[in-house]
């Protein structure tokens, strides 16, 4: 009895150590300058106050205000708004940490096995750095927690530990929330579909129930402000998508341009996943793991095609690896199984302590920049603009749009923000990019549009941004009045702007170059 209690304490200690280790990965300061978060908070504020135009139109921009827009993440904005109102940005950081831990927790709980206690948690620890590839407070955090919850509940149903009616009720309610929180809601339907196919292969008694569940989830997904357009948004969002976003690029594209250890980690684990699937077929372990194999196969392809899928692949790798390992362990004799079962918690504790203590390594939880709330000073430019109330229209770059919306939505509209689907392809190809690439186009359109200020995220590394900024800082028609580590503000050199120019003008010689890293 005492021995059993001792084993439990070791498991609990392992769980605590793993939680602390994992939490450090997701407790990262918020870079409001390039994040979508500012716009999400404002979305929530406006919706709570009855401004519904943000659901259907490009509300924040003066360039294409009537462009039809399916706001598929409005519910996240409402949640973010209330958390921000009560607990500021630190509260939002904590919320993201909790959602990430919840996602991992659901996967570990669904994969837990009495014959290999602690195994699923050890596997999860190896996947945490990869799962943390996209560490930013965004609606995707809700999707990670929800998709893991769906997998957990469906796993319990498959094993007979959860009845169909509670499953149907719980997932229907969650789907109603999810379709209004983030566009990844269709993954919930996909996970249910994977378990339906699993039932066709392994347990036909569950086929009818799961088929009804899939149908109900699809119908529930129509309950959103855009009805069928909202349901089809995952399939149509790229129909009018005129700006290249890094998160939607292939793994080969990203590897060719960025030195990122998570990308290499994905390639290694992707190859491992393919090998494990092959092993499962070779050892004839694949049938009871068909849903897991199918989901990992889908997400490894998705992540290879668009790197934003990497965290989802990391999540579903946990039950696949755990499932195969457990079945291999079950073939061992009793004494060996007992010995192996004791190794995992102890090894896990050692790894957690080691990599929580170390700094700077890839697997280290402490990268040296962990923290909660905003990056220090990142809000300085926004506060300056809000306080100065500079009149007229501004030209800003794509990265800075949501930042400016957060600080200036009650004062003026932005030129563009980081929602490619909210603008036409023609806008990016014929207006936004040419205005930075071609001097004649810039002079003509900036005058025609009445552009009075330029507000730029000065670390923009697109091919056109840096030459444009250097040209503007040396252009006598424009006067730089503000610069900090991430932002740059210039005013048109006119008599109307003299009050700000006299007070804040900066010497042009300090802008001989603009950093692009």
């Amino acid at each position: 009895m005492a021995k059993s209690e001792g084993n439990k304490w070791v498991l609990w200690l392992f769980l605590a150590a793993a939680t602390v280790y994992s939490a450090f990965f997701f407790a990262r300061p918020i870079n409001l300058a390039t994040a979508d978060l500012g716009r999400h908070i404002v979305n929530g504020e406006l919706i709570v106050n009855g401004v519904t135009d943000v659901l259907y139109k490009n509300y924040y921009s003066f360039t294409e205000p009537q462009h039809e827009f399916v706001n598929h993440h409005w519910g996240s904005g409402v949640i973010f708004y209330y958390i921000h109102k009560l607990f500021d940005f630190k509260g939002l950081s904590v919320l993201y940490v909790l959602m990430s831990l919840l996602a991992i927790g659901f996967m570990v709980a669904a994969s837990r096995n009495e014959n290999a206690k602690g195994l699923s948690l050890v596997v999860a620890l190896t996947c945490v750095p990869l799962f943390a590839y996209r560490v930013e407070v965004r609606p995707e955090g809700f999707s990670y927690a929800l998709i893991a919850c769906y997998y957990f509940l469906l796993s319990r149903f498959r094993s007979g530990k959860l009845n169909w009616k509670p499953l149907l009720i719980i997932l229907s309610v969650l789907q109603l929330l999810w379709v209004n929180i983030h566009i990844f809601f269709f993954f919930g339907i996909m996970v249910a579909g994977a378990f339906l196919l699993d039932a066709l292969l392994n347990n036909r008694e569950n086929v009818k129930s799961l088929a009804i569940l899939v149908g109900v989830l699809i119908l529930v997904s129509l309950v959103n402000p855009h009805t069928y357009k909202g349901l089809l948004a995952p399939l149509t969002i790229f129909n009018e998508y005129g700006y290249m976003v890094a998160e939607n690029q292939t793994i080969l594209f990203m590897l060719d341009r960025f030195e990122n250890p998570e990308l290499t980690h994905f390639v290694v684990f992707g190859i491992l996943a393919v090998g494990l699937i092959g092993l499962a077929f070779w050892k004839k372990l694949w049938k009871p793991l068909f849903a897991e194999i199918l989901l990992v196969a889908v997400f490894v392809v998705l992540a290879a095609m668009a790197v934003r899928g990497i965290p989802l692949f990391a999540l579903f790798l946990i039950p696949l690896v755990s499932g195969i390992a457990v079945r291999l362990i079950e073939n061992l004799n009793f004494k060996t199984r007992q010995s192996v079962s004791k190794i995992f918690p102890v090894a896990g504790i050692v790894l957690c302590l080691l990599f929580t203590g170390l700094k700077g390594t890839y697997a280290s939880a402490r990268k040296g920049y962990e923290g909660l709330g905003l990056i220090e000073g990142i809000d300085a430019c926004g506060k300056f603009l809000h306080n100065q109330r500079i009149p007229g229209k501004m030209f800003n770059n794509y990265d800075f749009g949501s930042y400016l919306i957060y600080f200036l939505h009650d004062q003026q509209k932005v030129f563009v923000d980081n929602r490619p689907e909210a603008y036409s392809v023609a806008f990016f190809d014929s207006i936004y990019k040419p205005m930075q690439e071609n001097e004649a186009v810039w002079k003509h359109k900036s005058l025609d549009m009445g552009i009075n200020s330029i507000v730029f995220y000065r670390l923009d590394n697109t091919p056109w941004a840096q030459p444009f900024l250097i040209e503007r800082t040396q252009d006598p028609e424009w006067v730089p009045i503000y610069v900090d580590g991430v932002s740059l503000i210039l005013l048109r050199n006119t008599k109307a702007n003299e009050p700000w120019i006299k007070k804040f003008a900066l010497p042009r010689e300090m802008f001989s170059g603009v950093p692009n890293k």
Side-chain angles (χ1 to χ4, degrees), residues 25-206:
F25 274 91
F26 306 104
R28 302 291 168 83
I30 300 169
N31 184 359
L32 196 63
T34 56
D36 298 338
L37 183 58
R39 188 188 69 251
H40 290 307
I41 294 170
V42 176
N43 272 348
E45 179 183 358
L46 294 177
I47 290 166
V48 167
N49 288 289
V51 182
T52 57
D53 278 356
V54 296
L55 298 173
Y56 308 101
K57 299 177 182 178
N58 190 357
Y59 178 82
Y60 300 111
S61 172
F62 68 83
T63 52
E64 290 197 316
Q66 298 304 315
H67 191 275
E68 185 178 343
F69 170 62
V70 175
N71 191 330
H72 53 78
H73 46 244
W74 68 272
S76 295
V78 173
I79 296 170
F80 288 153
Y81 166 68
Y82 278 117
I83 296 293
H84 178 262
K85 186 176 181 180
L86 293 171
F87 306 108
D88 203 44
F89 285 101
K90 286 187 177 180
L92 290 169
S93 290
V94 171
L95 173 66
Y96 184 79
V97 172
L98 292 176
M99 288 191 298
S100 300
L101 292 178
L102 189 61
I104 297 169
F106 276 128
M107 287 306 199
V108 170
S111 309
R112 185 177 178 274
N113 188 281
E114 286 297 319
N115 289 329
K117 294 177 180 178
L119 169 63
S120 60
L121 195 50
V122 170
V123 173
L125 290 178
T126 67
C127 293
V128 164
L130 192 59
F131 179 50
Y133 172 64
R134 285 169 59 77
V135 182
E136 185 180 303
V137 182
R138 61 176 90 213
E140 277 178 43
F142 293 111
S143 285
Y144 299 150
L146 284 165
I147 198 169
C149 180
Y150 274 47
Y151 175 78
F152 172 74
L153 293 172
L154 285 159
S155 296
R156 290 185 68 82
F157 173 73
R158 180 177 59 183
S159 63
K161 296 176 182 178
L162 180 65
N163 293 328
W164 179 69
K165 285 186 179 180
L167 177 72
L168 178 65
I169 293 170
I170 295 170
L171 292 191
S172 296
V173 172
L174 291 178
Q175 190 71 15
L176 178 61
L177 294 173
W178 199 353
V179 72
N180 292 291
I181 285 177
H182 189 238
I183 198 168
F184 279 5
F185 70 88
F186 71 97
F187 284 138
I189 301 170
M190 189 184 78
V191 171
F195 276 86
L196 171 59
L197 294 175
D198 186 288
L200 281 167
L201 187 66
N202 294 305
N203 187 356
R204 289 187 172 271
E205 290 182 2
N206 289 337

Side-chain angles (χ1 to χ4, degrees), residues 260-297:
N260 190 321
E262 284 88 356
L263 299 176
T264 305
H265 189 178
F266 165 72
V267 172
V268 172
F269 271 35
I271 295 171
L272 173 66
V274 173
L276 285 172
I277 292 171
L279 177 65
F281 279 93
W282 179 45
K283 292 288 186 178
K284 298 181 180 179
L285 305 173
W286 64 275
K287 284 186 72 175
L289 292 170
F290 184 72
E292 287 77 8
I293 290 172
L294 185 60
L295 290 167
V296 167

Side-chain angles (χ1 to χ4, degrees), residues 385-397:
L385 287 166
H386 188 270
N387 293 335
Q388 293 304 316
R389 294 183 175 272
I390 298 168
K393 295 177 180 178
M394 65 179 170
F395 179 81
N396 65 275
N397 63 323

